[in-house]
Amino acid sequence: GQQLNQSPQSMFIQEGEDVSMNCTSSSIFNTWLWYKQDPGEGPVLLIALYKAGELTSNGRLTAQFGITRKDSFLNISASIPSDVGIYFCAGSTGSSNTGKLIFGQGTTLQVKP
Amino acid sequence: DVKVTQSSRYLVKRTGEKVFLECVQDMDHENMFWYRQDPGLGLRLIYFSYDVKMKEKGDIPEGYSVSREKKERFSLILESASTNQTSMYLCASNQRGTGSNGYTFGSGTRLTVV
């Protein structure tokens, strides 16, 4: 099945550093979503993007919907230990009525205090 | 607080057993999904359902079946568990539409088949 190309696969950073991750697709998406999964839990929605070029923030998190509608990035500023987890991008082409999302492979983030 | 509840956080089953994973949502969502999560492979869709008694295969349906007799409940069935089905299983739901409202996920069931 179709998957988004998410990179990097993993990151190990020092507390206080900024983080950037991105997702690309060969298809156009109408919606981009970013999820975070804490260890041992299910993913939780962080940010949703609905318009090409849209830049949205949620605290220290900022995400953008690419102009081509084929990519998105997520930035985390001034990382803290509780940012540890797996971050997933997800997209919807809007071409069906089933509400099905397509997911990236995930970026595993580890933060060293 | 709206939620998706998976009945078990951890399960250990023997090879060949029939395994039921249960998922219940209280948001009156039409769509429900079952994913498995493996390191490096992300989330892979097993089955989804967009209405009671309706089901569609996802990307990796082999070895699995599902049941949706009531709107709020979506069950994943491993007909004869095998060791390669050891994984984290995630249930999710959302409203009927184009997916723009995202999913609400359950906390996951970590299944070990021995």
Side-chain angles (χ1 to χ4, degrees):
Chain A
Q2 183 181 4
Q3 269 199 324
L4 301 175
N5 296 314
Q6 185 172 350
S7 65
Q9 276 200 332
S10 61
M11 304 179 75
F12 190 90
I13 62 169
Q14 196 78 31
E15 182 177 0
E17 287 184 8
D18 296 343
V19 172
S20 185
M21 59 193 79
N22 69 84
C23 263
T24 61
S25 170
S26 56
S27 304
I28 289 175
F29 284 85
N30 290 336
T31 302
W32 283 94
L33 305 160
W34 285 92
Y35 284 85
K36 182 196 177 195
Q37 183 181 28
D38 288 325
E41 298 293 332
V44 173
L45 184 64
L46 296 173
I47 292 179
L49 302 157
Y50 301 110
K51 192 175 169 183
E54 180 182 354
L55 187 72
T56 297
S57 293
N58 178 4
R60 293 178 296 105
L61 278 60
T62 302
Q64 184 159 28
F65 192 138
I67 290 290
T68 65
R69 295 166 64 194
K70 292 183 177 182
D71 62 342
S72 177
F73 73 75
L74 174 71
N75 285 343
I76 305 172
S77 62
S79 58
I80 58 178
S82 62
D83 290 333
V84 162
I86 304 175
Y87 292 79
F88 290 100
C89 61
S92 169
T93 61
S95 61
S96 76
N97 201 36
T98 62
K100 194 168 62 163
L101 296 177
I102 298 165
F103 284 88
Q105 301 97 323
T107 296
T108 300
L109 178 64
Q110 297 182 58
V111 179
K112 186 177 178 183
Chain B
D1 194 18
V2 294
K3 57 171 58 174
V4 175
T5 303
Q6 293 183 233
S7 55
S8 303
R9 293 297 296 269
Y10 300 93
L11 276 178
V12 180
K13 296 292 182 181
R14 294 194 181 276
T15 301
E17 273 192 78
K18 190 169 186 176
V19 181
F20 293 85
L21 302 184
E22 305 288 347
C23 176
V24 176
Q25 51 95 3
D26 64 2
M27 296 165 283
D28 202 35
H29 284 168
E30 291 84 6
N31 300 330
M32 296 188 76
F33 306 84
W34 275 106
Y35 287 84
R36 67 175 281 175
Q37 181 179 13
D38 300 287
L41 298 178
L43 302 177
R44 293 183 291 167
L45 181 64
I46 305 171
Y47 266 97
F48 66 101
S49 168
Y50 51 89
D51 206 344
V52 175
K53 296 192 187 294
M54 305 300 289
K55 61 185 179 184
E56 286 198 22
K57 293 180 180 178
D59 301 317
I60 52 164
E62 296 78 20
Y64 303 94
S65 63
V66 290
S67 172
R68 189 149 181 220
E69 296 297 317
K70 294 184 178 181
K71 189 176 186 180
E72 66 270 19
R73 185 180 296 270
F74 192 34
S75 302
L76 179 69
I77 304 156
L78 286 65
E79 298 292 341
S80 177
S82 64
T83 55
N84 63 12
Q85 291 178 310
T86 291
S87 187
M88 172 74 137
Y89 290 87
L90 289 165
C91 176
S93 72
N94 70 354
Q95 290 177 322
R96 180 170 295 148
T98 57
S100 60
N101 55 335
Y103 294 167
T104 301
F105 282 92
S107 297
T109 296
R110 185 163 292 283
L111 173 68
T112 302
V113 182
V114 298

